[in-house]
Structures are given as C-alpha cells and as structure tokens.
Amino acid sequence: MLTPAFDLSQDPDFLTIAIRVPYARASEFDVYFRGVDFKFYAKPYFLRLTLPGRIIENGSEQGSYDADKGLFTIQLPKETPGQHFEGLNMLTALLAPRKSRTAKPLVEEIGTSSVSEEGGEDDDEEFDWEIEQFPYEEVSESALKLQCHYGFGDLRSGVFQRLQDEFSDVIEIKNPDFTPAAERRQKRLAAELTKFDPDHYLADFFEDEAVEQVLKYNPWWTDTYSKMMAPLGKSQEQEDHAALVSFSEEEKFQLRKFVNKSYLLDKRTHRQVYYSLIDILLAYCYETRVTEGERNVESAWNIRKLSPTLCWFETWTNVREILVSFGRRVLCYPLYRHFKLVLKACRDTTEILQLGKSAVLKCLLDVHKIFQESDPSYILNDLYISDYCVWIQKAKSKKLAALAEALKEVSLTKAQLGLELEELEAAAFLVQEEEAALTAAHSTSRQQTPPSGSEAGALEEPDSTIPSETEDSGSEPEELKGSKSKTVSSLRGPFLEESSALLVNNDGVCREVAFLGPDAGQEKPVASAWVPGGSRPLIEELGEH
C-alpha cells in the first residue's frame, strides 16, 4: 500500500481533506470517518489519519473527484461547529502509528491515548527552565562508560565505536562513546581558543561592509513575524497564527516519509531537548542569513560547525551558556566573524520560536534536507534532526513560547565570550590613533622643512656664491673645493656635452673639460676655468677659445 499525498484545511464548520491519488481507479474507493478516525482506500493507496478534533456523519458531508488531477476532495462536518483544529499541517503526527512487525520493545508505552504529549506533563504547569542540581558523586570508570550517550534525548550510544573514521569530518570529538559530557566541554573550549584568530576578527570588525549587507537581509520568517505581531483580534489570533506558516509540496513529502513515534523522556531530558533545539536553530539562522537563503556546498559545514550539539554532542544547563558557546564559535570558524551576527541570530531564533512549532518544523525540515544532501553529514539526521522533526509536531506551543521568552531575556556581551574581544578592539583603536598621529606629524614636518642645499643654490644669484677677494682662499681648502665642485656641478647646462669632466687643481681652480662631439668638427677638448677672486664668468662661451 502507498501513502498518498494529502493536505488538510478547515473553516468554522467543515474539515476539508484533499488526497492526491494519480492513476487510481476512481470507481473503487472507500472512505470511513468517525470521531477522530479517518480512513481512505483507493487501490493502491491507503491513508489513515488521527485527527486533532472530532467529526460526525450528519448528511452534510461532501466529496468530489478531479480526474485530470487525480484529486479527491472530501468535506467532513465538525462535531462542534466553530471549533479550531490545531496542527493540521503536522502531517507526520496525523498519520496513525505503524504497528511493529518485530518482537515487542523492551520498554512499551501504555495508554498513549490518555497520556498527554511530552510524557504526560501537566499542560498548565509552568515550565521551569532552571535545571536541577545534584551533589557531585565519584563515578567508577565502568559506570562512566555507560553514561556516554548522545543524540536526540541522549537515546544513542555505541554508534561511533566502528564508525569514527568514516565520520571524523562531521564531529570534532574523538571517541564520543567513551568521553563524558564534562570532558567534551573542556576539549571544546580548548579547541575554540586554539582556533580563534585575532587578525581575522579585527579584519571583519573594521572592514564590515559585507557584514552590514548580510545584516540587511530579511529571511522568510521576518515577514511572517511582522504579520503575527500586527494587531489582531483575540478571536482571530489563534487561527491566523496557525495559517501564517505554510509548507511546500516538497516539505509535505518529507513529512510523509517520517515514521510517527513517541519518545519516553523524563523532565530533565525534555529540558535538554529544548536547549539543544535553540542551539540548532541558532546555527541555522546564521547560515540562512550569511548565504541570504541560497544554499551552497558549505551550508552543512556551517550548521554543524556552529552547533556544539551536533559536532561535540554538547549538553546544556541554561540558555546563557548556549548563547556564549554559539558566540564563541561564530567568532572562530565561519567566513564572517562579527559579534553583530551573533546578536542577529539570537533575535532570529527568538522570532522563530514565537511563531510556533510550524515555523520551527519548517526550519528543521530545511536542515534535514541540507544534511541529507551532504555525504558525511547525513548521520546527524539519524542522530538528531529526524527525531526533532517528529517530536516537534507534538510539542506544546506554550512551552515554545516560554522558551522564546527565556531566550529573549538573556543578554549577551563580548566579555562573556572569554576571547578578550574588548581588549583587542581597544589595542587596535590605540594603534590607529598612533598611526594617525605619526602621519599628521610627518605631513606637518614636510610643510615646515626649508628647501634642500641644491634647491637653495639654484635659487641664489651667481654672485652670492662667489667669495670675496678679501677672504683667505688658502684656509680650509678641502671644504672650499667641495663647495666649488657642488656649485659648478649645479650650473652645468646645455653648453657642455654629456662627455665632460670637472677638474680641480691644487690652487682651487675648478676646470671643466668638455669633449665636443663629431658635429662640432673637432676632437680637441675645450676647457673653461674659474679662479676664485677673478671676474671671469662661470662658464665661458666656446667661441671665445
């Protein structure tokens, strides 16, 4: 038998069930409904649903069949007109549990119909998010190994005893079956400190154009949240809230593939499941925002790397330590490492939780699809995500709302991350100020510095460079020769060819000999001499010789 594609909708008086059965024989089909039970059969399709509300047979029920689309549409009257049926989009929860074809399980859940969801907790009981504390007790090594559980609700163990090498790229912890929770946390914190790169962080801190662009992106839940927060009447609030989030055909197909089952979780384990849900949603929100909803080959890596629940099998005791851990990993591993992205992901997660379990389920289905398409990451679906997709359909909306409030009340600061971010930023600003001061001082000194000696000599008159006849020409001959050489050298002009030389004799006479080129018709050197104290010009015309 095949489970057909189906969809449910409602109005105040009727429940409408649309069942898609292509290539079925429309002349041979059966429909049964009574109370909360609904059954449909059209060879080779069979559908059995457990409805969230009661329906009756009073003659007003209707049915139609579209042969072109292969679609049965059945309208069933509600037993209580005006009653709102919750969870009509939770398709997995609507499917009746399958009977086991094997031996009975070691633990069997008795009286599922009389026990409320989530292990029979009182719906009206206020959920306390502060975990219970117990005195420390020394545990033997043999007993310690038995406590190394992981996965959804800590229901798995022994998975990686033979598969460690195959999935070493998925999880960072080595030998998770023999590593207790406290040791996992110590190793995780040490690995994050080793991975943190101050240069990368400061580069994203000062050059944040790309980060600001990412922060402006609006994911799908932003508009939905705005619609939910719009003023609505109390009579419409519940119905409109349930209809805000819709599922695509692909997502509905995913839901039909899950096996409906119940989870025997105690109160402590329930709290861990909720905490780990926050951790996974934080990683998903970051990934959705930085990729702007466009999945790529790094999407699976981003989600599992940013979630210690998935890559370290971490367990939590309060909401704050979840945010601290997420913030540290955002600043250590992905491409964009900015504290604003941490805060934005926290706000996104709060909005998703406030939207209810439909929005949470939609996110989990997306994560499931991403991991399923990633070869090494699919194991995380078996350990966590598939169970979350089934469990969340039975979760209480009141608990999710309380979890959203707990997340909203926690404020995260840079100092809490333990990476000395404020000290790094202060040091970087100090270096910037010093560099700016040095640049300004250098610019000022260049404006106030007098011209160089060669520039000054070029600007002075020739007579000012000639010493007076009364000065002693014999004193300091070396300095005089040097200064005269510089003066003559600076006055060399177009009168001399490139092949020339400056000669200084012992009497302090500067003589420049120029060798004329072949165009002058002679190879005889022409010399110009200048004697200190004389009145001859610095350079004589060649024609005077």
Side-chain angles (χ1 to χ4, degrees), residues 10 72 92 126 228 243 251 257 269 284 321 328 359 453 467 489 527:
Q10 62 180 323
F72 275 99
T92 307
E126 184 177 356
M228 185 193 73
E251 291 169 338
K257 291 173 63 178
T269 307
Y284 171 76
E321 67 179 14
R328 287 169 61 92
S489 176

Side-chain angles (χ1 to χ4, degrees), residues 221 225 228-229 241 277-278 281-282 285 319 323 342-356 359-360 400-410:
W221 58 80
Y225 182 78
M228 185 193 73
M229 298 305 294
H241 181 275
L277 177 63
I278 293 179
L281 289 178
L282 286 170
C285 290
V319 177
L323 300 184
V342 178
L343 300 179
K344 193 66 173 178
C346 294
R347 287 192 289 268
D348 290 338
T349 303
T350 303
E351 292 179 359
I352 292 174
L353 291 173
Q354 290 178 334
L355 284 172
V360 175
L400 292 177
L403 188 62
E405 289 299 322
L407 179 60
K408 190 176 182 180
E409 292 175 358
V410 177

Side-chain angles (χ1 to χ4, degrees), residues 316-328:
W316 313 102
T317 57
N318 56 67
V319 177
R320 183 180 300 279
E321 67 179 14
I322 301 173
L323 300 184
V324 170
S325 174
F326 172 72
R328 287 169 61 92

Side-chain angles (χ1 to χ4, degrees), residues 371-391:
F371 285 165
Q372 198 66 27
E373 296 174 352
S374 177
D375 186 26
S377 300
Y378 69 89
I379 187 64
L380 297 176
N381 282 340
D382 297 336
L383 293 176
Y384 288 96
I385 307 303
S386 296
D387 289 320
Y388 264 111
C389 290
V390 176
W391 168 84

Side-chain angles (χ1 to χ4, degrees), residues 75-107:
Q75 282 189 332
L76 305 175
K78 296 180 179 180
E79 185 176 88
T80 305
Q83 180 184 2
H84 178 76
F85 289 0
E86 291 186 3
L88 293 183
N89 52 3
M90 305 299 170
L91 303 185
T92 307
L94 295 174
L95 294 171
R98 301 179 183 179
K99 294 183 179 180
S100 175
R101 296 183 180 179
T102 60
K104 290 185 177 181
L106 296 177
V107 179

